[in-house]
Amino acid sequence: MRVNTNEATSRGMKISDFQTKDVINITDGKRLGQISDLELDLKQGRIEAIVVPGYSRFMGLFGGGTDLIIPWRNIVKIGSDVILVKMDEVKEQAYDEREREARLYDEQQQGRTERTERLERLDRSQRRTI
């Protein structure tokens, strides 16, 4: 499916321009939300997908941590106010935000433990030399 981006390419487009547009699924007419992020292919220099926060999130900050990943090939048209996409079946990519935060916390704690152990070893070695 070809993307009609004549308007977008003729004047260029910023990421902030994407974030102000509503994303509409033409299959069922539902508003999916506004773009929160883009997935980029840095080697090829192109956009791979757009990311729309799931329904359970408020302003992209609170909630279940689900995002809707829409591949670039599913974009039908980019208009002045909306982005029309064709999604036969809307699938949310779910990840457990609490699990990610717990892993991050564990890594931080492990780093603190390692630093504390290093300081204790250094302190013991300094006492032996005195």
Side-chain angles (χ1 to χ4, degrees):
M1 186 174 291
R2 296 264 303 141
V3 177
N4 185 354
T5 57
N6 291 339
E7 174 193 335
T9 56
S10 65
R11 66 176 179 87
M13 186 172 278
K14 300 175 186 174
I15 292 175
S16 59
D17 293 337
F18 274 109
Q19 292 176 322
T20 60
K21 298 178 187 298
D22 288 328
V23 179
I24 308 292
N25 186 359
I26 63 170
T27 303
D28 57 10
K30 287 187 179 178
R31 179 184 178 275
L32 301 175
Q34 291 185 327
I35 295 174
S36 65
D37 207 350
L38 299 173
E39 287 188 3
L40 304 172
D41 179 350
L42 297 178
K43 289 182 183 177
Q44 300 280 331
R46 61 180 139 175
I47 300 171
E48 289 288 313
I50 58 176
V51 181
V52 177
Y55 297 110
S56 62
R57 295 180 79 175
F58 173 75
M59 302 280 291
L61 300 174
F62 309 107
T66 57
D67 288 333
L68 178 61
I69 310 298
I70 302 171
W72 186 258
R73 68 181 173 276
N74 288 47
I75 296 177
V76 177
K77 180 164 177 72
I78 299 173
S80 58
D81 296 335
V82 297
I83 296 175
L84 300 177
V85 299
K86 185 172 185 179
M87 300 288 291
D88 293 328
E89 186 178 325
V90 175
K91 295 179 182 176
E92 291 186 345
Q93 177 182 349
Y95 61 93
D96 188 354
E97 187 70 23
R98 283 174 280 177
E99 183 179 321
R100 187 183 69 79
E101 288 175 0
R103 258 195 323 257
L104 182 61
Y105 177 78
D106 288 344
E107 290 170 3
Q108 289 173 343
Q109 291 299 352
Q110 183 178 2
R112 287 185 185 130
T113 302
E114 290 172 359
R115 282 192 299 274
T116 302
E117 289 173 356
R118 268 186 273 141
L119 287 172
E120 288 173 354
R121 281 194 303 269
L122 179 64
D123 188 44
R124 281 193 302 264
S125 68
Q126 286 177 347
R127 282 190 220 153
R128 285 185 208 142
T129 57
I130 296 179

